[in-house]
């Protein structure tokens, strides 16, 4: 059967695939390599539980499927417009605040807008670079494991901070923050590495949060409570001035 193009398409990436093919893409999402050993451990425990008591086997199967789902690494459609700052994580925009950035980011002592994206245990946890540039600094700090949705998690929790600089000299900060359940922050890049907007740079296991420190004078284009998709949702545009609009937490 030949697919016939409609007069208008609601989305530039729409295709003539059948509903079953689209459903397969949703269910059979690729898994990130960081999750292979965890899925193997869950599967092994499931087999052992099945030998003990059959109902436990099915519970183990459910846990194994959840583990696979946690480490999923779906393909994302990355906006190509220059100057956009993308969400580095899937989750919910939990905080938008006007704060002084951490000293380890070398972003100065002037207050800037911080956008926090909270990831629960059901979100995809692969982190993506918010914009194209060079990783100028990486600073890891040990800390506590408070609930990552709390404001004070930015200062007290275990975290890994990256400062990325664009070819034009614009600098932003991205901080991976461990949460109540998370116990492992993984970073795939090193100082001096070049990163592209929307490309993978790290991962946090089992619930956490990412903070993005926007350049001074740049306004957020998202709101608290909004769902964010890593590599797709636009957090800010370098061309959008910060007018300190009412309703934006200061």
């Amino acid at each position: 059967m030949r697919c016939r193009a409609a007069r208008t398409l609601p989305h530039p990436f729409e295709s003539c695939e059948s509903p079953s093919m689209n459903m397969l893409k949703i269910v059979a999402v690729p898994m990130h390599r960081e999750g292979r050993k965890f899925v193997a451990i869950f599967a092994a425990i499931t087999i052992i539980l099945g030998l003990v008591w059959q109902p436990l086997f099915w519970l183990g199967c459910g846990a194994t499927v959840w583990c696979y789902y946690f480490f999923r690494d779906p393909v994302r459609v990355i906006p190509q417009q220059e100057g956009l700052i993308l969400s580095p994580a899937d989750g919910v925009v939990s905080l938008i605040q006007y704060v002084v950035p951490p000293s380890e980011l070398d972003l100065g002592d002037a207050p800037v807008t911080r956008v926090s994206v909270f990831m629960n245990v059901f979100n995809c946890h692969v982190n993506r670079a918010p914009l194209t540039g060079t990783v100028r600094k990486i600073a890891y700090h040990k800390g506590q494991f408070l609930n990552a949705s709390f404001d004070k998690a930015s200062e007290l929790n275990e975290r890994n901070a990256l400062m990325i600089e664009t070819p034009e000299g614009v600098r932003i900060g991205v901080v991976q923050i461990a949460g109540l359940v998370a116990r492992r922050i993984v970073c795939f890049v090193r100082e001096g590495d070049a990163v592209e907007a929307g490309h993978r740079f790290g991962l946090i296991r089992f619930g956490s949060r990412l903070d993005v420190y926007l350049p001074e004078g740049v306004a957020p284009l998202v709101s608290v409570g909004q769902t964010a998709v890593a590599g797709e949702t636009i957090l800010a545009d370098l061309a959008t001035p910060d007018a300190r609009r009412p309703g934006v937490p200061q």
Side-chain angles (χ1 to χ4, degrees):
M1 178 183 296
R2 177 180 298 180
C3 294
R4 299 180 60 185
R7 292 184 179 180
T8 58
L9 292 176
H11 191 282
F13 297 97
E14 182 176 340
S15 67
C16 299
E17 293 177 348
S18 66
S20 60
M21 293 176 65
N22 288 328
M23 181 59 66
L24 181 61
K25 286 185 177 181
I26 295 174
V27 176
V29 178
M31 181 180 64
H32 196 277
R33 62 180 182 276
E34 284 287 330
R36 293 172 184 170
K37 62 180 179 181
F38 290 96
V39 172
I41 292 173
F42 272 65
I45 294 175
T46 297
I47 294 174
I48 295 173
L49 291 176
L51 297 175
V52 176
W53 191 35
Q54 188 173 3
L56 292 178
F57 172 80
W58 297 112
L59 290 176
C61 284
T64 302
V65 171
W66 169 81
C67 186
Y68 173 91
Y69 184 71
F70 176 87
F71 286 102
R72 67 194 183 280
D73 187 14
V75 175
R76 295 291 162 82
V77 181
I78 302 169
Q80 298 302 302
Q81 180 181 331
E82 294 185 2
L84 299 180
I85 299 177
L86 309 178
S87 175
D90 286 18
V92 174
V93 178
S94 58
L95 294 168
I96 299 178
Q97 297 177 310
Y98 197 55
V99 299
V100 176
S103 58
E104 62 262 25
L105 288 173
D106 287 342
L107 295 178
D109 54 6
V112 298
T113 300
R114 180 181 70 198
V115 180
S116 301
V117 180
F118 175 74
M119 301 179 288
N120 62 38
V121 294
F122 298 105
N123 289 127
C124 173
H125 277 59
V126 175
N127 305 147
R128 294 173 178 264
L131 82 175
T132 297
T134 302
V135 180
R136 296 299 185 191
K137 188 170 184 180
I138 298 178
Y140 171 79
H141 288 269
K142 292 184 178 181
Q144 302 178 38
F145 296 97
L146 304 176
N147 189 320
S149 63
F150 294 165
D151 178 26
K152 57 186 177 181
S154 295
E155 291 78 31
L156 301 179
N157 279 25
E158 178 175 319
R159 62 193 184 275
N160 187 56
L162 291 78
M163 189 270 279
I164 302 174
E165 183 177 22
T166 70
E168 295 75 27
V170 177
R171 295 181 171 187
I172 72 165
V174 185
V175 183
Q176 299 171 286
I177 302 174
L180 183 65
V181 180
R183 288 296 186 271
R184 184 77 169 94
I185 296 175
V186 181
C187 185
F188 308 141
V189 297
R190 299 180 180 180
E191 291 184 359
D193 285 354
V195 293
E196 293 187 32
H199 287 210
R200 303 162 184 82
F201 80 87
L203 180 149
I204 313 178
R205 296 174 188 162
F206 306 118
S208 43
R209 161 179 150 191
L210 266 81
D211 287 346
V212 178
Y213 292 84
L214 303 179
E216 186 175 2
V218 175
L221 298 179
V222 291
S223 302
V224 173
Q226 180 177 336
T227 299
V229 178
E232 293 188 358
T233 300
I234 300 171
L235 296 184
D237 186 340
L238 294 178
T240 303
D242 193 342
R244 299 282 171 259
R245 299 186 305 275
V248 176
Q250 303 295 307

